[in-house]
Amino acid sequence: MKEQKEFKVNNFDLLRLLAATQVIVDHYFQHLNIKISNFSTQLLYLFPGVPVFFVISGYLISASYERNNNLSIYFKNRALRILPGLWGCIFVTIIVISLTGVSFLNSQTIVWLPSQLIGIIYTPGFLANYGFGSYNGSLWTIPIELQFYLLLPLCYFLIPKNRTNYWFYGLFSLFVILNCLYNYSNFNYVITKLLRYSFIPHFYLFLMGVVLQRLRIYKSTVIYNKALYWVIGYLLFSLTLPNFINPVLFLLIKNLFLAFTILSLAYTLPNTALKLLRTNDISYGIYIYHGLIITVLVQEKMVSYENLFFIIGLTYIVAYLSWVFIEKPFIKRKEKTIRVTQ
């Protein structure tokens, strides 16, 4: 129980909050076509939200599965964490976009709505010209995360006897290679888009989290309370070497370096998140709602409200309401997975 307590005392809620905020800032500059300098772009992508989410997800979800590998409990817990918040966002989307004059009473909605509710995210034809061409561009990672959830039990099921760590080392290496092939290959638009929204180019990040969890990296003396050293090293690498290394290789190494830095931040002064956030985790709400807010502002040409701090503030408020009234009540229904299944 002491090991479990040490594992569970961490700053992941705070790190996810920062990662979600980075995504808001990124999409703000992208979708509003605001030009920033190359150096500012480098700074913006020092803490890229999506890779951070994927690594943390692999780390925490694999630990939960290893504590209790009952599939019904596993899938119930995953569904309770993702789907209620997503459902709330989808229905808010319908209400808000309807208020701007768009009708959802058409044949496309019959297929679109059930697809969104089970996490198959796409923009229907009648919204293709709305905002910046996507009803909520931030939801693109939801299907990928759901694919991770489906694949994780399979990865454990296929483990050769007494070779668990080597198995995950091999899987991680395989998907690193597949990521490189994806980035180096010159596929046509359709294949590139299909691959981008599949687990294939991204799974190595999730598996990196799994590997670090299995190594009990939080106990390491080079990780625990050593975030300052990792952050300095990561900054030096990220800001000084991009022009001297192949871009694909640089991004790969940078993300792996980032994974270790995230884990060290999580277990450096590990009570920080609890003191600041009081167990409130609004990061998911921030992630799923900010895209809707930006696209509505763009559609309605509300230039006076297209302010970064206004968007962040409004997103935080909506995310908090989502957490209090939707996500948190459903999370309380999750099965506990503290004890290891015998």
Side-chain angles (χ1 to χ4, degrees):
M1 291 302 296
K2 181 181 179 183
E3 177 182 337
Q4 299 294 344
K5 183 179 179 181
E6 292 174 352
F7 178 88
K8 288 176 68 66
V9 179
N10 55 61
N11 294 318
F12 285 125
D13 285 352
L14 181 57
L15 291 169
R16 283 191 294 249
L17 175 65
L18 296 173
T21 304
Q22 186 276 341
V23 176
I24 297 178
V25 178
D26 179 21
H27 288 170
Y28 172 80
F29 286 105
Q30 276 191 42
H31 296 309
L32 300 182
N33 296 316
I34 298 172
K35 303 297 182 183
I36 58 175
S37 68
N38 289 335
F39 182 70
S40 296
T41 302
Q42 278 186 290
L43 291 178
L44 177 60
Y45 287 103
L46 282 174
F47 194 74
V50 171
V52 171
F53 280 125
F54 287 169
V55 170
I56 293 176
S57 180
Y59 184 86
L60 294 178
I61 293 172
S62 64
S64 176
Y65 184 79
E66 288 179 12
R67 293 185 190 112
N68 191 327
N69 60 7
N70 181 297
L71 287 179
S72 63
I73 292 175
Y74 170 79
F75 285 117
K76 175 186 174 183
N77 287 352
R78 303 284 69 76
L80 286 171
R81 184 63 186 99
I82 292 293
L83 294 181
L86 177 64
W87 294 342
C89 181
I90 296 301
F91 284 110
V92 168
T93 296
I94 292 172
I95 293 169
V96 171
I97 293 182
S98 294
L99 291 175
T100 66
V102 175
S103 175
F104 284 81
L105 299 176
N106 59 70
S107 59
Q108 293 181 36
T109 303
I110 297 173
V111 176
W112 173 79
L113 181 56
S115 299
Q116 307 317 286
L117 296 180
I118 63 173
I120 302 175
I121 306 298
Y122 68 92
T123 298
F126 68 93
L127 291 178
N129 295 317
Y130 189 91
F132 47 80
S134 171
Y135 82 89
N136 189 339
S138 61
L139 298 183
W140 72 273
T141 60
I142 298 295
I144 295 171
E145 189 71 22
L146 294 177
Q147 290 172 63
F148 293 166
Y149 294 169
L150 291 172
L151 286 168
L152 185 66
L154 180 62
C155 290
Y156 277 94
F157 178 77
L158 296 174
I159 293 172
K161 188 176 181 180
N162 300 323
R163 292 289 187 272
T164 303
N165 281 351
Y166 291 109
W167 168 252
F168 280 109
Y169 298 155
L171 279 179
F172 169 73
S173 300
L174 171 63
F175 280 94
V176 165
I177 293 170
L178 291 176
N179 172 269
C180 292
L181 290 175
Y182 166 78
N183 284 298
Y184 280 117
S185 299
N186 189 21
F187 299 115
N188 63 42
Y189 173 78
V190 174
I191 294 177
T192 299
K193 188 171 183 178
L194 288 173
L195 287 173
R196 182 182 181 235
Y197 294 111
S198 78
F199 68 94
I200 294 172
H202 316 285
F203 200 40
Y204 81 96
L205 291 164
F206 185 88
L207 288 170
M208 185 66 182
V210 176
V211 169
L212 293 178
Q213 181 275 133
R214 288 205 50 77
L215 292 174
R216 304 296 185 262
I217 199 72
Y218 70 97
K219 292 183 172 183
S220 171
T221 56
V222 300
I223 292 293
Y224 195 87
N225 274 332
K226 297 295 191 302
L228 179 62
Y229 302 103
W230 282 99
V231 169
I232 291 173
Y234 175 71
L235 290 175
L236 289 173
F237 173 83
S238 300
L239 295 176
T240 61
L241 295 180
N243 295 324
F244 301 97
I245 302 178
N246 175 278
V248 172
L249 182 60
F250 170 78
L251 183 59
L252 177 63
I253 297 173
K254 177 174 175 284
N255 282 339
L256 300 183
F257 203 153
L258 176 64
F260 283 93
T261 306
I262 292 167
L263 267 295
S264 189
L265 285 166
Y267 291 102
T268 296
L269 302 176
N271 282 303
T272 304
L274 180 61
K275 292 176 181 177
L276 294 176
L277 303 178
R278 301 295 181 183
T279 72
N280 293 302
D281 182 10
I282 65 171
S283 58
Y284 181 52
I286 291 171
Y287 190 84
I288 62 177
Y289 279 101
H290 80 274
L292 172 63
I293 291 171
I294 294 176
T295 198
V296 170
L297 291 177
V298 170
Q299 174 67 21
E300 295 301 297
K301 297 180 174 58
M302 300 172 70
V303 179
S304 60
Y305 294 99
E306 291 176 0
N307 175 281
L308 178 59
F309 296 105
F310 171 80
I311 291 172
I312 291 175
L314 180 58
T315 305
Y316 274 32
I317 292 170
V318 175
Y320 182 74
L321 294 174
S322 174
W323 168 253
V324 171
F325 294 108
I326 301 176
E327 297 167 55
K328 188 176 181 180
F330 279 97
I331 287 174
K332 288 181 178 179
R333 297 172 177 268
K334 290 172 64 176
E335 299 281 350
K336 302 297 182 183
T337 57
I338 293 298
R339 291 185 295 276
V340 178
T341 301
Q342 300 297 324

